[in-house]
């Protein structure tokens, strides 16, 4: 799902960078008001875990990649997509600069897909399903859907850029991430269940299911 440099025209990249700057502004404000010495380490641990799972790439036709994401997990744990924006901006920047995974010019697009789209879809799907299904099934479905929708957004962006035809790129990205999302759903539930059992004080649940 990482978009490399050169896959999106600079003019289009600038639009995504503007979105990223606005998102970072609100995310920093959120962090100042909501993060404390107890929850900052949790954010760092999640960032490290996301760095690891995103490093396990599987190639997808036309030069991009398929992998687990974690945007829904961060947003659900903190009940804030702003947390996902902060985590993914740092993680994707490090991956692009040091490991060549994703691109600097495409940083805005990659954060948009994995953190903003993934975080919002994950969180609000979780909120919508939590009362009826319970928090663990809701978290699993939210993580799966967030992965698939983030992949769809990535395919649409590259289709708009002319990188590949949408009628080929969208099915490829969505199909791969349909199955990757299942693994992500399981891992998301495992992490949330472990936090809920051993460190419930770190979770921002708005009521129990």
């Amino acid at each position: 799902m990482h978009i490399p440099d050169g896959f999106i025209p600079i003019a289009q990249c600038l639009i995504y960078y503007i979105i990223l700057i606005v998102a970072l502004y609100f995310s920093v404000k959120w962090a100042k008001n909501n993060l404390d010495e107890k929850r900052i380490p949790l954010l760092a641990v999640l960032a490290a875990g996301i760095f690891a799972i995103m490093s396990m790439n599987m190639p997808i036709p036309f030069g991009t990649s398929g992998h687990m994401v974690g945007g829904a997990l961060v947003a659900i744990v903190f009940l804030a997509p702003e947390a996902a924006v902060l985590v993914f901006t740092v993680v994707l920047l490090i991956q692009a600069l040091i490991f060549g995974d994703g691109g600097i010019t495409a940083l805005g697009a990659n954060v948009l897909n994995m953190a903003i789209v993934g975080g919002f879809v994950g969180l609000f799907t979780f909120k919508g399903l939590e009362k009826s299904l319970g928090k663990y099934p809701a978290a699993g479905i939210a993580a799966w859907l967030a992965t698939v929708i983030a992949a769809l957004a990535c395919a649409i962006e590259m289709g708009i850029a002319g990188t590949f035809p949408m009628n080929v790129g969208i099915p490829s990205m969505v199909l791969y991430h349909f199955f990757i999302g299942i693994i992500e759903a399981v891992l998301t539930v495992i992490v949330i269940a472990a936090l809920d059992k051993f460190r419930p004080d770190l979770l921002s649940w708005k009521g129990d299911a």
Side-chain angles (χ1 to χ4, degrees), residues 30 39 42-43 46 71-80 83 123 126 188 191-192 195 202-205:
W30 171 84
R39 304 186 79 210
L42 175 61
L43 195 69
L46 289 176
L73 172 62
V74 178
I76 291 169
V77 166
F78 287 90
L79 287 181
L123 177 59
F126 171 75
T188 297
V191 172
I192 289 176
L195 285 171
L202 295 177
L203 293 169
S204 299
W205 302 118

Side-chain angles (χ1 to χ4, degrees), residues 17-90:
Y17 259 98
I18 291 170
I19 295 172
L20 172 59
I21 290 168
V22 173
L24 281 173
Y25 170 77
F26 288 105
S27 298
V28 170
K29 286 186 66 176
W30 171 84
K32 289 180 179 178
N33 294 327
N34 293 277
L35 288 184
D36 54 27
E37 67 279 356
K38 184 171 66 174
R39 304 186 79 210
I40 289 174
L42 175 61
L43 195 69
V45 169
L46 289 176
I50 286 167
F51 186 98
I53 65 172
M54 288 203 302
S55 298
M56 296 183 286
N57 290 320
M58 55 187 302
I60 292 179
F62 305 103
T64 186
S65 60
H67 54 75
M68 290 179 285
V69 183
L73 172 62
V74 178
I76 291 169
V77 166
F78 287 90
L79 287 181
E82 293 91 341
V85 171
L86 294 174
V87 166
F88 278 84
T89 300
V90 173

Side-chain angles (χ1 to χ4, degrees), residues 30 70-84 114-131 135 138-147 188 192 204-206:
W30 171 84
L73 172 62
V74 178
I76 291 169
V77 166
F78 287 90
L79 287 181
E82 293 91 341
M114 298 183 221
I116 300 175
V117 173
F120 272 92
V121 170
L123 177 59
F124 289 102
T125 300
F126 171 75
K127 285 184 173 181
L129 297 177
E130 181 189 6
K131 289 184 179 179
K135 55 193 170 189
I141 293 171
W144 174 83
L145 184 61
T147 302
T188 297
I192 289 176
S204 299
W205 302 118
K206 291 183 178 178

